[in-house]
Amino acid sequence: MFQSEYLKKVYAGVEARNPGEKEFLQAVREVLESLEPVVAANPKLQEQGVLERIVEPERQIFFRVSWVDDKGQVQVNRGYRVQFNSAIGPYKGGIRLHPSVNASVIKFLGFEQIFKNSLTGLPIGGGKGGSDFDPKGKSDLEIMRFCQSFMTELAKHIGADTDVPAGDIGTGAREIGYMYGQYKRLRNEFTGVLTGKGLTYGGSLARKEATGFGLCYFVDEMLRCMKGESFKGKIAVISGSGNVAIYANQKATELGAKVVAMSDSNGYVYDPNGIDLAVVKQIKEVERGRIKEYAARVKGAEYHEGCSGIWTIKCDIALPCATQNEINEESAKTLVKNGVIAVGEGANMPSTPEAIATFQNAGVLFAPAKASNAGGVATSALEMSQNSQRLSWTFEEVDAKLKNIMVNIFHNAYNAAEKYGMKGNLVAGANIAGFEKVADAMLAQGIAY
Ligand code: NDP
């Protein structure tokens, strides 16, 4: 519960204005709770209505996306773009294509993105978009028609200096390519309006790897500074088997861990010998198949139906890299009982508030998403820089910048928590460090009458 009357009032306003939007309310509550000491120390925030403003998106665009499927039938989906906050730079955030997408999900992601983007130290504001379109089981042509229709409306609202979308769940290189092609056709300009592009038309080396690699750089620094430990010799469990999960597996393995389990939305595979990542890449990146097939191809591996069972596997390090609220209190308790020492969030908001409290009360090192998965958007911002310069940096250059950014984010979050008397609480530290810069920029830019 909130101590400050001001925060109580702000949160009540958000509840009244966004009824039933549980993901959005969850994300707002977590941030506001962390800001208690900041609000107490800075009366200007209340005088200038900074919190009332920061919880309300600057602009929300909801639109119809109609397209024709392979049978010639008309399909209708809903498109979203929430331009949440542009205090420190153009709106930046991915496009999620998944049947679970709704206004609450896009708003929670857009809100989180404000603080995450600020933490990177790069000049990018917060936004997010998506659609309830389900890419699973669709042909390439159906995907193309959907992406073209989606971009036909979205193109009116974005631009290289206005709003720069990227990938997220269901939006990978193929979808970004179709969207970019349509944007170019409509506007007749070749600009860095999307990130996550293919390498032949302005994409950045290491962008594909960035979120998973960045997560491991963050967790490695956290282990080193807070426990004198590292990935070496540790057993890791990683949920998901998409972009973030695959490259988290690759880096965790390079740093000396053995990853024994991965999943998708149907179930998980357990391989006591360590997951053979080449097999996962073949199934997921090439064939677009299901993780179940791993157990059929690799001797000694087991497949289990259902996602949450993955958290019953004994491990030292847990990296949730699938979706929001995938670790609940019960799963968190099981992980703690099995001796987990660190949890690093690769997905956005994968742990429920009760799960986070369980980890923190048990002394488990906990890396919150908005800090630990910021490597993806940071590298997207590096892609924007390369596009503006009309230059391409080497993989090693981008990777070195990414590592440096992740290490800095860890220290900024750690120091902010310590400054406000919450040493070791990276959830609070990340929220505060991300917030301070945005709030300062909002104060400087005044209120529009
Ligand atoms: P992908 O679409 O590449 O992969 C998502 C993975 O999560 C798949 O294995 C998918 O399984 C699984 N998944 C999706 N929805 C659910 C669900 N409701 N229940 C269980 N499993 C599910 O997405 P990404 O790897 O890009 O994104 C994963 C997470 O990381 C998301 O939370 C995203 O917002 C976050 N993130 C991504 C960034 C990026 O750069 N890509 C940057 C920062 C955060 P299935 O194939 O069966 O759907």
Side-chain angles (χ1 to χ4, degrees):
M1 253 340 266
F2 299 107
Q3 308 294 316
S4 133
E5 286 305 316
Y6 173 48
L7 287 173
K8 236 180 248 171
K9 193 182 108 211
V10 171
Y11 186 71
V14 180
E15 273 186 318
R17 197 174 269 166
N18 306 277
E21 298 194 352
K22 64 180 171 45
E23 294 87 357
F24 179 50
L25 293 172
Q26 181 182 336
V28 171
R29 175 183 271 274
E30 185 208 282
V31 170
L32 294 186
E33 280 175 354
S34 304
L35 296 179
E36 292 270 7
V38 185
V39 166
N42 299 285
K44 253 194 164 172
L45 296 172
Q46 182 168 358
E47 285 159 27
Q48 301 278 316
V50 170
L51 292 170
E52 291 91 328
R53 288 191 277 145
I54 213 165
V55 295
E56 181 68 16
E58 289 176 14
R59 195 171 300 103
Q60 305 187 58
I61 302 137
F62 298 171
F63 52 98
R64 184 180 69 200
V65 187
S66 38
W67 54 283
V68 180
D69 69 17
D70 286 348
K71 295 189 195 105
Q73 271 163 12
V74 175
Q75 300 289 338
V76 177
N77 288 101
R78 181 171 292 175
Y80 300 84
R81 187 73 188 166
V82 173
Q83 299 180 329
F84 224 116
N85 191 296
S86 62
I88 64 167
Y91 310 104
K92 180 97 198 83
I95 292 173
R96 178 173 290 192
L97 301 181
H98 194 273
S100 63
V101 163
N102 56 36
S104 170
V105 168
I106 297 299
K107 276 155 71 180
F108 117 66
L109 290 164
F111 183 69
E112 294 273 293
Q113 199 82 46
I114 304 170
F115 308 101
K116 180 187 309 191
N117 293 3
S118 164
L119 280 170
T120 66
L122 301 166
I124 37 179
K128 197 81 188 186
S131 172
D132 57 1
F133 172 78
D134 186 0
K136 257 186 238 123
K138 303 286 190 302
S139 71
D140 271 0
L141 278 177
E142 287 176 325
I143 298 279
M144 186 175 80
R145 283 184 227 114
F146 169 82
C147 289
Q148 290 176 339
S149 176
F150 183 80
M151 183 51 84
T152 301
E153 175 61 29
L154 189 67
K156 297 172 193 161
H157 312 283
I158 62 175
D161 294 316
T162 312
D163 182 357
V164 183
D168 190 71
I169 291 180
T171 305
R174 173 180 58 171
E175 292 74 19
I176 290 288
Y178 292 146
M179 289 180 195
Y180 191 74
Q182 183 71 352
Y183 182 87
K184 199 161 54 64
R185 222 167 272 129
L186 291 165
R187 302 283 280 260
N188 195 25
E189 56 184 38
F190 197 104
T191 58
V193 68
L194 296 176
T195 57
K197 300 186 290 298
L199 295 177
T200 51
Y201 61 95
S204 173
L205 286 162
R207 173 61 188 89
K208 184 174 71 172
E209 293 83 357
T211 310
F213 277 24
L215 169 66
C216 293
Y217 293 144
F218 187 98
V219 170
D220 202 41
E221 187 69 4
M222 173 176 81
L223 283 165
R224 195 178 66 77
C225 295
M226 294 175 75
K227 225 181 168 66
E229 280 281 4
S230 73
F231 272 96
K232 225 178 173 85
K234 303 291 186 300
I235 298 292
V237 164
I238 301 181
S239 64
S241 48
N243 175 262
V244 180
I246 285 177
Y247 293 95
N249 182 329
Q250 186 167 318
K251 187 50 75 180
T253 307
E254 270 174 41
L255 293 173
K258 179 158 88 168
V259 179
V260 296
M262 292 184 84
S263 63
D264 62 19
S265 56
N266 295 112
Y268 68 94
V269 286
Y270 170 59
D271 185 344
N273 299 317
I275 295 276
D276 183 339
L277 194 58
V279 176
V280 175
K281 284 186 179 175
Q282 174 65 26
I283 294 169
K284 287 290 175 182
E285 293 187 335
V286 180
E287 300 167 19
R288 297 182 189 277
R290 310 304 302 156
I291 199 72
K292 186 178 184 172
E293 290 154 36
Y294 181 91
R297 293 182 200 182
V298 178
K299 222 173 133 211
E302 301 162 9
Y303 174 73
H304 299 266
E305 277 293 325
C307 310
S308 62
I310 195 170
W311 307 120
T312 63
I313 298 169
K314 190 172 164 46
C315 64
D316 304 304
I317 299 172
L319 302 177
C321 294
T323 195
Q324 62 269 10
N325 293 326
E326 54 170 309
I327 301 186
N328 60 15
E329 186 175 15
E330 192 191 332
S331 297
K333 282 185 173 158
T334 308
L335 282 162
V336 170
K337 188 162 68 67
N338 286 339
V340 74
I341 61 165
V343 176
E345 295 189 321
N348 282 311
M349 206 167 77
S351 315
T352 64
E354 297 76 24
I356 296 174
T358 303
F359 293 134
Q360 290 180 327
N361 293 339
V364 173
L365 301 186
F366 183 77
K370 64 171 77 65
S372 54
N373 76 16
V377 73
T379 309
S380 275
L382 300 179
E383 182 174 330
M384 290 165 73
S385 303
Q386 293 170 78
N387 292 164
S388 301
Q389 287 184 312
R390 308 245 186 259
L391 285 174
S392 300
W393 303 335
T394 64
F395 188 97
E396 290 70 26
E397 274 177 281
V398 180
D399 190 38
K401 287 187 202 309
L402 166 66
K403 188 168 181 188
N404 191 32
I405 289 169
M406 298 313 296
V407 167
N408 281 338
I409 294 176
F410 168 78
H411 288 283
N412 287 342
Y414 187 86
N415 294 339
E418 192 169 26
K419 177 176 158 194
Y420 285 99
M422 293 179 278
K423 189 170 175 182
N425 182 345
L426 297 177
V427 174
N431 287 337
I432 293 169
F435 170 79
E436 285 190 324
K437 182 171 156 192
V438 178
D440 191 62
M442 288 173 72
L443 287 168
Q445 290 169 29
I447 303 159
Y449 288 96

